[in-house]
Amino acid sequence: MDVASRDERGTTERVLTLLGLLQRRRVWTGPELAERLGVTPRTVRRDVERLRALGYPVQATQGVGGGYQLGPGQDLPPLLFDDEEAIATAVSLLAGAGGAVVGAGDAALRALTKLDRVLPTRLRHEVRALSGSVESFGGGTAPVDPVVLMTLARACRDEVEADFDYPSGGEVRRRRVEPYRLVASDRRWYLLAYDLERDDWRSFRVDRMTTLSARTWRFRPRAAPDAATYVQEGVSSRVYPHQARFLVHASADTVRAQIPASAAVVRSRGSGRCEVLSGAASLDFVLMHVLLLGHEFDVLDPPELGKRCRALAERLLSAGATFSPVPDPAES
């Protein structure tokens, strides 16, 4: 390594050390930083300018109580963590990804996947041990082992096959897949993957997986369907023996606020109308759910649902015609 390269490396290490100091304490004076770094105050000023050029908003104030401090900026620059901070951050993200933090699962897993790229091996064992002590309660979220989520996230990122035991048709079978995306619903985590045994796309509930392992065999990515749309359609309709489509005379935003995303797919069909795709164990059940939305609607599919509408209408009319109020004994 020549002199210029050594000088450049030394400057880089010093600037990173300066960044770590600024993130550790609110305000540092110039002389304090110079003493910590073993340089002159002039060099500190130059290193501060280097950080500013990289997007770190380092502020400088004069007078008593003044000095250098890291302020808020428009963009979020990279952060430096020591070992304890990295472990605490990873464990918190594991808790969020596992469902302990409502609504934070997807973002927590994305952040955890980024952190996993740079987390030293010596810290991963501590993170796994500590994650076992994190639990949550309340809500309707199905509990998921965050280590399983992390393993699947790595497999998606690194494009390697995965296999796991999964219940199907009353028995548990080994599934070998090419994992593509993890999708968080309002209650559960799902994996969109290409099933190598069935030669087709499938979605899997993560909380039902057992004995998961990521393989070393890499795969070439295929043209994949939109993960969120595929999983939502599967959860809300394909898993049921009956599927139905309705044209509802209300805006898509209005209907989405009434129906959980896991219960139906809602697509806008112009001003004041939307299409609702849902499934159920019986056509009467899905019909009643759409009826209780309180909007006018038309049946699009299947044809036999029209017959069920008429049968249900006749049943309701009959019940209304034979209704007779029962006297309240307290009033007699």
Side-chain angles (χ1 to χ4, degrees), residues 13 35 45 71 123 128 134 143 147 181 219 222 244 249 275:
E13 291 176 351
E35 181 180 358
R45 290 194 293 271
L123 300 183
R128 178 170 297 190
V134 179
V147 176
R181 293 289 184 274
F219 62 85
R222 308 169 189 261
H249 296 259
E275 180 181 322

mmCIF file of all heavy atoms in Angstrom, residues 13 35 45 71 123 128 134 143 147 181 219 222 244 249 275:
data_model
loop_
_atom_site.group_PDB
_atom_site.id
_atom_site.type_symbol
_atom_site.label_atom_id
_atom_site.label_comp_id
_atom_site.label_asym_id
_atom_site.label_seq_id
_atom_site.Cartn_x
_atom_site.Cartn_y
_atom_site.Cartn_z
ATOM 1 N N GLU A 13 -11.085 6.318 8.130
ATOM 2 C CA GLU A 13 -11.298 5.771 9.470
ATOM 3 C C GLU A 13 -11.528 6.887 10.483
ATOM 4 O O GLU A 13 -12.368 6.766 11.378
ATOM 5 C CB GLU A 13 -10.088 4.928 9.872
ATOM 6 C CG GLU A 13 -9.951 3.643 9.065
ATOM 7 C CD GLU A 13 -8.694 2.877 9.415
ATOM 8 O OE1 GLU A 13 -7.846 3.443 10.157
ATOM 9 O OE2 GLU A 13 -8.544 1.733 8.960
ATOM 10 N N GLU A 35 -8.900 16.284 20.566
ATOM 11 C CA GLU A 35 -8.180 15.439 21.522
ATOM 12 C C GLU A 35 -8.543 13.972 21.332
ATOM 13 O O GLU A 35 -7.659 13.098 21.360
ATOM 14 C CB GLU A 35 -8.517 15.888 22.946
ATOM 15 C CG GLU A 35 -7.791 15.084 24.019
ATOM 16 C CD GLU A 35 -8.140 15.548 25.419
ATOM 17 O OE1 GLU A 35 -8.918 16.520 25.547
ATOM 18 O OE2 GLU A 35 -7.663 14.928 26.385
ATOM 19 N N ARG A 45 -12.304 20.509 11.579
ATOM 20 C CA ARG A 45 -13.184 21.304 10.717
ATOM 21 C C ARG A 45 -13.250 20.705 9.311
ATOM 22 O O ARG A 45 -14.312 20.658 8.694
ATOM 23 C CB ARG A 45 -12.700 22.751 10.676
ATOM 24 C CG ARG A 45 -12.910 23.512 11.981
ATOM 25 C CD ARG A 45 -12.743 25.013 11.794
ATOM 26 N NE ARG A 45 -11.360 25.366 11.468
ATOM 27 C CZ ARG A 45 -10.410 25.636 12.378
ATOM 28 N NH1 ARG A 45 -10.719 25.583 13.679
ATOM 29 N NH2 ARG A 45 -9.186 25.963 12.016
ATOM 30 N N GLY A 71 -27.442 17.231 13.549
ATOM 31 C CA GLY A 71 -28.833 17.679 13.538
ATOM 32 C C GLY A 71 -29.686 16.877 12.580
ATOM 33 O O GLY A 71 -29.195 16.025 11.841
ATOM 34 N N LEU A 123 -22.326 -11.341 16.758
ATOM 35 C CA LEU A 123 -23.502 -10.722 17.371
ATOM 36 C C LEU A 123 -24.785 -11.485 17.075
ATOM 37 O O LEU A 123 -25.775 -11.344 17.801
ATOM 38 C CB LEU A 123 -23.657 -9.275 16.883
ATOM 39 C CG LEU A 123 -22.499 -8.320 17.193
ATOM 40 C CD1 LEU A 123 -22.845 -6.925 16.710
ATOM 41 C CD2 LEU A 123 -22.194 -8.311 18.681
ATOM 42 N N ARG A 128 -30.155 -13.829 18.565
ATOM 43 C CA ARG A 128 -31.082 -14.959 18.598
ATOM 44 C C ARG A 128 -31.460 -15.322 20.036
ATOM 45 O O ARG A 128 -32.620 -15.604 20.334
ATOM 46 C CB ARG A 128 -30.462 -16.163 17.897
ATOM 47 C CG ARG A 128 -31.345 -17.396 17.918
ATOM 48 C CD ARG A 128 -30.821 -18.480 17.009
ATOM 49 N NE ARG A 128 -30.824 -18.059 15.620
ATOM 50 C CZ ARG A 128 -30.594 -18.885 14.598
ATOM 51 N NH1 ARG A 128 -30.344 -20.166 14.816
ATOM 52 N NH2 ARG A 128 -30.612 -18.442 13.369
ATOM 53 N N VAL A 134 -38.482 -12.075 23.982
ATOM 54 C CA VAL A 134 -39.430 -11.044 23.577
ATOM 55 C C VAL A 134 -40.755 -11.694 23.221
ATOM 56 O O VAL A 134 -40.815 -12.583 22.380
ATOM 57 C CB VAL A 134 -38.894 -10.253 22.361
ATOM 58 C CG1 VAL A 134 -39.906 -9.203 21.927
ATOM 59 C CG2 VAL A 134 -37.568 -9.590 22.710
ATOM 60 N N PRO A 143 -48.934 -15.561 15.953
ATOM 61 C CA PRO A 143 -47.526 -15.452 16.335
ATOM 62 C C PRO A 143 -46.621 -16.161 15.332
ATOM 63 O O PRO A 143 -46.936 -17.249 14.846
ATOM 64 C CB PRO A 143 -47.484 -16.130 17.707
ATOM 65 C CG PRO A 143 -48.672 -17.052 17.713
ATOM 66 C CD PRO A 143 -49.720 -16.379 16.889
ATOM 67 N N VAL A 147 -37.120 -15.706 13.924
ATOM 68 C CA VAL A 147 -35.973 -16.364 13.285
ATOM 69 C C VAL A 147 -36.403 -17.020 11.968
ATOM 70 O O VAL A 147 -35.657 -17.013 10.985
ATOM 71 C CB VAL A 147 -35.341 -17.398 14.241
ATOM 72 C CG1 VAL A 147 -34.205 -18.147 13.548
ATOM 73 C CG2 VAL A 147 -34.818 -16.705 15.495
ATOM 74 N N ARG A 181 -41.091 -13.513 -2.168
ATOM 75 C CA ARG A 181 -41.440 -12.353 -1.347
ATOM 76 C C ARG A 181 -42.174 -12.804 -0.087
ATOM 77 O O ARG A 181 -42.951 -13.759 -0.108
ATOM 78 C CB ARG A 181 -42.361 -11.384 -2.106
ATOM 79 C CG ARG A 181 -41.738 -10.677 -3.286
ATOM 80 C CD ARG A 181 -40.727 -9.636 -2.859
ATOM 81 N NE ARG A 181 -40.228 -8.910 -4.009
ATOM 82 C CZ ARG A 181 -39.210 -9.307 -4.764
ATOM 83 N NH1 ARG A 181 -38.593 -10.451 -4.492
ATOM 84 N NH2 ARG A 181 -38.823 -8.581 -5.792
ATOM 85 N N PHE A 219 -31.193 -20.233 -7.377
ATOM 86 C CA PHE A 219 -32.095 -20.373 -8.513
ATOM 87 C C PHE A 219 -32.110 -19.085 -9.334
ATOM 88 O O PHE A 219 -31.783 -18.010 -8.827
ATOM 89 C CB PHE A 219 -33.520 -20.719 -8.058
ATOM 90 C CG PHE A 219 -34.167 -19.667 -7.184
ATOM 91 C CD1 PHE A 219 -34.834 -18.580 -7.732
ATOM 92 C CD2 PHE A 219 -34.107 -19.766 -5.789
ATOM 93 C CE1 PHE A 219 -35.435 -17.621 -6.926
ATOM 94 C CE2 PHE A 219 -34.712 -18.819 -4.975
ATOM 95 C CZ PHE A 219 -35.367 -17.741 -5.551
ATOM 96 N N ARG A 222 -37.723 -16.273 -11.746
ATOM 97 C CA ARG A 222 -38.739 -16.373 -12.796
ATOM 98 C C ARG A 222 -39.551 -15.083 -12.837
ATOM 99 O O ARG A 222 -39.480 -14.252 -11.929
ATOM 100 C CB ARG A 222 -39.681 -17.550 -12.526
ATOM 101 C CG ARG A 222 -38.986 -18.878 -12.289
ATOM 102 C CD ARG A 222 -39.978 -19.907 -11.767
ATOM 103 N NE ARG A 222 -39.292 -21.126 -11.344
ATOM 104 C CZ ARG A 222 -39.200 -22.224 -12.091
ATOM 105 N NH1 ARG A 222 -39.752 -22.231 -13.292
ATOM 106 N NH2 ARG A 222 -38.569 -23.294 -11.645
ATOM 107 N N ALA A 244 -67.014 -15.452 -5.388
ATOM 108 C CA ALA A 244 -68.073 -14.605 -5.940
ATOM 109 C C ALA A 244 -67.516 -13.219 -6.249
ATOM 110 O O ALA A 244 -66.601 -12.742 -5.569
ATOM 111 C CB ALA A 244 -69.237 -14.495 -4.949
ATOM 112 N N HIS A 249 -72.101 -0.434 -5.613
ATOM 113 C CA HIS A 249 -72.301 0.969 -5.964
ATOM 114 C C HIS A 249 -71.838 1.867 -4.811
ATOM 115 O O HIS A 249 -72.639 2.548 -4.146
ATOM 116 C CB HIS A 249 -73.766 1.207 -6.311
ATOM 117 C CG HIS A 249 -74.222 0.457 -7.530
ATOM 118 N ND1 HIS A 249 -74.363 1.038 -8.766
ATOM 119 C CD2 HIS A 249 -74.516 -0.862 -7.697
ATOM 120 C CE1 HIS A 249 -74.749 0.130 -9.653
ATOM 121 N NE2 HIS A 249 -74.848 -1.043 -9.017
ATOM 122 N N GLU A 275 -65.459 -3.241 -7.681
ATOM 123 C CA GLU A 275 -65.680 -4.675 -7.799
ATOM 124 C C GLU A 275 -65.152 -5.359 -6.548
ATOM 125 O O GLU A 275 -64.052 -5.052 -6.091
ATOM 126 C CB GLU A 275 -64.974 -5.234 -9.031
ATOM 127 C CG GLU A 275 -65.159 -6.727 -9.233
ATOM 128 C CD GLU A 275 -64.420 -7.234 -10.460
ATOM 129 O OE1 GLU A 275 -64.401 -6.513 -11.482
ATOM 130 O OE2 GLU A 275 -63.847 -8.346 -10.391
#
